[in-house]
Amino acid sequence: MNQNLNVIEVLLVEDDPGDVVLIREAFEHNKVYNALHVVSDGVQALEFLRREGDYADAPRPDLMLLDLNLPRKDGAEVKEDTELRTIPVVVLTTSEAEEDIARSYDLHANAYVSKPVDFDRFIEVVRQIDDFFVSVVKLPSHP
């Protein structure tokens, strides 16, 4: 485990409560100490990111885990906001459709990861995402 506990703020945008539980469990299982904030649709995600309404005191995330198929506002639309483009986004979705992959990268996603159905593999994927963005990547600082 990384001894240099570089805790980051992670925003999970996920409408499936089961997947939220899996990701929380994966963070706990992997002893990921990052702050995990959860919203369930694209509208809430934009409010969180812009610190509006109920999210006026929300921290600016260092990393966003984003599902694509969300109610009210599609996940890919969240990345269209130019002020929010500096936040690294990992699209974490069940879709393996080539058009979703291409569209995500066109909208400046930093990575596209298909959710594994196997729990152990899911935990490993979350650990790898965390390791990469906490230990390897230099994240942009923010005000």
Side-chain angles (χ1 to χ4, degrees), residues 30-63:
N30 293 317
K31 296 182 176 39
V32 173
Y33 299 106
N34 296 329
L36 182 64
H37 309 276
V38 180
V39 296
S40 61
D41 64 47
V43 171
Q44 288 178 339
L46 286 174
E47 289 173 354
F48 187 100
L49 293 165
R50 293 174 179 153
R51 300 178 182 134
E52 297 172 348
D54 291 341
Y55 305 103
D57 295 326
R60 182 173 171 91
D62 299 297
L63 174 65

Side-chain angles (χ1 to χ4, degrees), residues 1 11 15 22 30-31 34 37-38 48-49 54 58 62 65 71 73 80-81 90-91 105 108 117-119 122 132 136:
M1 188 174 96
L11 175 61
D15 64 320
L22 278 177
N30 293 317
K31 296 182 176 39
N34 296 329
H37 309 276
V38 180
F48 187 100
L49 293 165
D54 291 341
D62 299 297
L65 302 177
K73 184 177 272 296
E80 291 176 340
D81 188 310
V90 174
V91 173
Y105 284 116
H108 308 282
V117 290
D118 173 77
F119 179 70
F122 194 95
F132 184 70
V136 178

